[in-house]
Amino acid sequence: MHIDILTVLPELLESPFQHSIIKRAQEKNLLTVNIYHLRNWAVNEYGQVDDYQYGGGAGMVMMCEPLANAIESLSKGRKYDEIIYLTPDGESLNQKIANTLSLKENLLLICGHYKGIDERIREHYITKEISIGDYVLSGGELAAAVLVDTIGRLIPGVLNDETSALFDSFQDNLLAPPVYTRPEDFRGWKVPDVLMSGDHKKIDDWRLEQSLKRTKDRRPDINNE
Ligand code: 6GU
């Protein structure tokens, strides 16, 4: 998969893809991420990419021209499956959307800033609008990092143990069960006996039961069984 990201703050995206699973995905050539600075398509020598909003009101709006030129220029090199705008009024990101996007070949992510981007860009270029939750971030960069991470780890071959994503929280509308590691007794706090039993059937049953209980208690909205 190839992901291009268009931003006015490329520095903010320097580190997130250089560690752990997303780093490994790139090393295995299963994922490439390119970051493009929107200022390369600025309307003047001052690097201007935003302007005051029509109708008045506080806050700047990202202009059509730099965005349209950037999107058209990047689209010449690549046929994007989706051009995604990260915005708090987009569709709420969830595991189902991540699963769907992980099967795409080419994505372009647009990070907004200030009051957002001119509506005409949304109408004419953007194919999908995604929010990462009901709160406001200063810009789309951190949301883009979240989206790349959640998609990247789902690309086939990225996770070492192919089955491990299957047991992630949300993958089957269930939260993951509790996990434990050594020591078996920490300050008198014991690991549940069943996990020490060596009985894999019993352990699987216990994990499912814990998942169901945890989901019912914490997130009854995601599973109605
Ligand atoms: Cl995608 N962008 C911004 N600026 N804020 C957000 C968001 C996105 N998702 C939740 N809050």
Side-chain angles (χ1 to χ4, degrees):
M1 174 183 299
H2 183 85
I3 302 178
D4 287 331
I5 306 179
L6 193 55
T7 171
V8 291
L9 278 179
E11 298 87 353
L12 206 47
L13 290 168
E14 260 164 32
S15 171
F17 313 128
Q18 288 171 19
H19 309 276
S20 183
I21 290 171
I22 298 305
K23 177 186 181 188
R24 204 163 65 227
Q26 292 172 95
E27 286 169 352
K28 286 185 177 173
N29 294 321
L30 296 169
L31 172 68
T32 50
V33 181
N34 287 344
I35 295 162
Y36 293 94
H37 201 326
L38 183 63
R39 291 207 198 279
N40 292 335
W41 289 274
V43 293
N44 56 34
E45 66 205 81
Y46 307 108
Q48 187 181 358
V49 294
D50 61 336
D51 210 336
Y52 297 101
Q53 57 177 315
Y54 281 124
M60 308 293 272
V61 173
M62 288 168 68
M63 304 168 80
C64 284
E65 193 182 334
L67 285 166
N69 285 338
I71 294 168
E72 284 172 12
S73 148
L74 293 172
S75 297
K76 282 199 185 107
R78 239 169 248 290
K79 171 91 191 71
Y80 293 111
D81 298 302
E82 300 282 3
I83 299 180
I84 301 172
Y85 175 45
L86 285 312
T87 176
D89 61 3
E91 182 182 7
S92 275
L93 180 61
N94 57 35
Q95 200 63 32
K96 182 161 177 281
I97 295 173
N99 285 337
T100 304
L101 290 175
S102 75
L103 302 173
K104 307 288 184 187
E105 276 307 310
N106 291 295
L107 301 177
L108 174 58
L109 311 185
I110 315 272
C111 303
H113 257 269
Y114 323 110
K115 283 280 162 195
I117 67 174
D118 191 297
E119 188 67 19
R120 290 166 290 186
I121 295 295
R122 297 173 70 160
E123 285 170 10
H124 294 285
Y125 293 94
I126 302 296
T127 62
K128 207 172 199 39
E129 301 188 325
I130 291 179
S131 161
I132 64 161
D134 292 342
Y135 44 82
V136 176
L137 300 167
S138 310
E141 285 76 11
L142 296 178
V146 166
L147 185 61
V148 170
D149 191 286
T150 193
I151 295 171
R153 61 198 303 288
L154 293 171
I155 299 170
V158 167
L159 293 180
N160 268 343
D161 179 354
E162 275 274 31
T163 60
S164 64
L166 295 177
F167 297 104
D168 285 348
S169 284
F170 301 109
Q171 203 54 266
D172 45 13
N173 285 337
L174 286 177
L175 299 181
V179 293
Y180 299 84
T181 186
R182 292 190 296 174
E184 193 180 333
D185 183 333
F186 177 69
R187 300 180 182 168
W189 306 330
K190 304 260 175 55
V191 173
D193 286 339
V194 58
L195 295 179
M196 313 306 296
S197 70
D199 182 336
H200 293 292
K201 167 80 171 74
K202 249 166 97 180
I203 292 171
D204 285 349
D205 289 348
W206 180 84
R207 285 183 171 150
L208 177 60
E209 179 195 308
Q210 291 291 315
S211 278
L212 287 165
K213 178 173 172 351
R214 195 157 262 204
T215 307
K216 184 163 170 275
D217 292 347
R218 301 181 183 197
R219 293 297 304 275
D221 55 303
I222 64 168
N223 187 288
N224 313 307
E225 273 178 295

